[in-house]
Amino acid sequence: MSFKAIYVTVGTTRFDELVEEVVSAQVLRTLQQRGCRNLIIQYGHGRPVQNTDNIRKAYGISIAQYAFKLETPRTDILNADLIIGHAGAGTCMDILNHARPGIIVINDRLMDNHQKELAEQLSEEGYLFYCRVQGLAKTIEQADVTKLKPYENRNNMHTFVRYLNEMMTA
């Protein structure tokens, strides 16, 4: 499957390591091989990508980016063939509720990091792929979105909230 449009989000956090990895040569080559032509990056409180013209010339991938955008409906999510985001609960729910395929990336720098448990659970249940920053290129390369299960928020929201509450109190 081709990922022509990819949306990258760090939510309200600062996760420069994810943004930097997305525009690394290794990940850009992988995105190019998977057919990416448009990369939309929401970098939150972090730093924007500086070399967007060079990336477009070298890889044929156009980059649009912003810190935050308030809009309903969430057009960047709805228009994406793949979403790459930090493994925060809000981002995970955005991906699942908009029925988009996603790769969630664990931010190892967070204290009391519950992202790993959440990412593992959602992956184990077949809803999303997950990785650490350094494994992003391989995860994109191997991502077979046809193997992801659709998320039925009517039936699963209570289970998700209960699991999140249990995880936060553990």
Side-chain angles (χ1 to χ4, degrees):
M1 174 176 198
S2 177
F3 301 135
K4 291 181 181 173
I6 296 178
Y7 177 56
V8 179
T9 179
V10 302
T12 59
T13 67
R14 180 180 187 124
F15 194 5
D16 290 333
E17 296 86 355
L18 174 57
V19 174
E20 291 166 6
E21 185 67 13
V22 165
V23 295
S24 70
Q26 181 183 19
V27 171
L28 287 168
R29 277 193 303 276
T30 303
L31 293 176
Q32 184 182 44
Q33 291 166 356
R34 294 297 308 252
C36 180
R37 295 291 167 249
N38 295 299
L39 191 58
I40 299 95
I41 300 173
Q42 182 268 320
Y43 54 85
H45 289 287
R47 294 183 305 268
V49 176
Q50 297 300 314
N51 57 346
T52 58
D53 285 338
N54 293 340
I55 291 169
R56 184 182 44 74
K57 290 174 187 170
Y59 299 95
I61 299 172
S62 296
I63 295 179
Q65 56 185 332
Y66 54 87
F68 300 101
K69 184 192 299 186
L70 298 174
E71 66 174 1
T72 304
R74 305 279 308 272
T75 55
D76 291 331
I77 290 175
L78 292 171
N79 293 332
D81 298 309
L82 177 70
I83 299 168
I84 299 170
H86 78 117
T91 296
C92 292
M93 289 312 303
D94 269 351
I95 296 169
L96 295 173
N97 286 328
H98 287 89
R100 308 310 303 152
I103 298 172
I104 50 178
V105 183
I106 298 166
N107 185 347
D108 286 320
R109 292 182 178 259
L110 297 178
M111 298 292 289
D112 298 323
N113 190 353
H114 296 290
Q115 289 188 0
K116 182 176 184 284
E117 292 88 356
L118 178 59
E120 287 174 345
Q121 185 68 34
L122 291 172
S123 177
E124 186 178 301
E125 292 183 23
Y127 295 118
L128 298 169
F129 301 106
Y130 86 97
C131 64
R132 288 190 154 73
V133 171
Q134 62 273 19
L136 183 58
K138 184 176 182 180
T139 304
I140 294 167
E141 182 182 329
Q142 296 176 346
D144 180 357
V145 298
T146 63
K147 293 185 178 181
L148 293 175
K149 292 187 332 191
Y151 182 79
E152 299 174 19
N153 59 2
R154 264 180 282 123
N155 301 329
N156 294 321
M157 183 57 75
H158 295 294
T159 303
F160 181 83
V161 170
R162 185 173 51 249
Y163 174 74
L164 205 56
N165 285 333
E166 290 171 7
M167 189 176 59
M168 297 301 278
T169 58

